[in-house]
Amino acid sequence: MGATKLSGMQKQVLSLYRGFLRAARSKTTEDRRRIEMIVSTEFHKNSKEVDRKNFQYIEYLLRLGTKQLDQLKNPDMVSISSIKVVTSKT
Amino acid sequence: MASLSTTSLSFKAPSIQSTRISQVLRKASSFQSISFGRFHSSKSLRLQISCAAKPETVQKVSDIVKEQLALSADTALTAESKFSALGADSLDTVEIVMALEEKFNISVEESDAQNITTIQEAADLIEDLVQKKPATSEAS
């Protein structure tokens, strides 16, 4: 009741998010805090900015995220960052 | 009920009888409604029993939810509070479930995590998992 059914893609995104938060647990407290901040900001930002019908782009982001998560799982990896290239529409 | 009244007409029952039948029918219908009411109340009672998570668990869950959603300490939360009503989206819900996992030292299945929408549901699931946990650790 009230709980809206999630699409397969939404589930994938949430699963990826969970994966990131899980991977962050294995880092030191300080790194963890930072990783969680970055990941949370990134996911929330994309959830607002990306058109939910833009499946191709979401799939691309999912692939990108999965790759970054794999790298983050490496014990030597301490943080992640993302650079956004903004192209103006002119 | 419609078929019953047709039968009484074919028997050419006197008007008194037909009124009696209709009375009986009315009685029957009112009885039905009473039994319906009873059924409803017993259903909710059963639900309450199966959902009786300990108040401490509900309190712990509410505290974590408040912390995760950055709600002020005096925000009134009840067990029926919906995460979405508190301004949480599905990403926040994931965060809440992850925080609960750590707090209670449990692991929530992904499929279960997505069905949690209220504090009560979270508390029930936690109690369920905490109870199951000793058994699984013994087995492993």
Side-chain angles (χ1 to χ4, degrees), chain A residues 5-50:
Chain A
K5 269 258 174 259
L6 294 165
S7 71
M9 205 172 239
Q10 281 174 310
K11 281 182 185 166
Q12 277 184 62
V13 174
L14 292 179
S15 171
L16 182 66
Y17 189 45
R18 214 182 312 260
F20 268 110
L21 295 181
R22 258 191 208 169
R25 280 181 187 171
S26 62
K27 312 294 172 187
T28 64
T29 318
E30 194 195 334
D31 291 335
R32 186 185 161 174
R33 235 0 85 69
R34 197 172 60 240
I35 293 167
E36 281 176 351
M37 268 296 289
I38 296 167
V39 173
S40 171
T41 316
E42 197 71 14
F43 271 84
H44 277 103
K45 194 188 74 192
N46 281 326
S47 79
K48 287 188 190 78
E49 288 180 1
V50 177

Side-chain angles (χ1 to χ4, degrees), chain A residues 1-3 5-6 10-11 13-15 17-19 21-22 25 32 36 40 43-44 47-48, chain B residues 82 84 89-92 94-95 97-99 101-102 106-110 113-115 117 121:
Chain A
M1 198 178 82
K5 269 258 174 259
L6 294 165
Q10 281 174 310
K11 281 182 185 166
V13 174
L14 292 179
S15 171
Y17 189 45
R18 214 182 312 260
L21 295 181
R22 258 191 208 169
R25 280 181 187 171
R32 186 185 161 174
E36 281 176 351
S40 171
F43 271 84
H44 277 103
S47 79
K48 287 188 190 78
Chain B
K82 271 198 183 305
S84 53
D89 57 21
S90 52
L91 289 172
D92 296 319
V94 169
E95 283 173 28
V97 174
M98 297 288 291
E101 277 189 346
E102 277 206 294
I106 49 167
S107 175
V108 179
E109 288 292 319
E110 227 161 273
Q114 274 155 4
N115 292 328
T117 55
E121 283 172 22

Side-chain angles (χ1 to χ4, degrees), chain B residues 1 5 10 17 26-27 34 50 56 67 75 80 85 87 91-92 96 101 106 113 125 131 137-138:
Chain B
M1 260 193 272
S5 61
S10 66
Q17 255 189 343
R26 243 180 267 147
K27 266 182 198 161
I34 289 166
S50 71
E56 307 101 80
E67 199 186 310
T75 312
E80 281 74 40
L91 289 172
D92 296 319
I96 290 169
E101 277 189 346
I106 49 167
L125 186 68
Q131 274 186 348
S137 61
E138 272 168 31

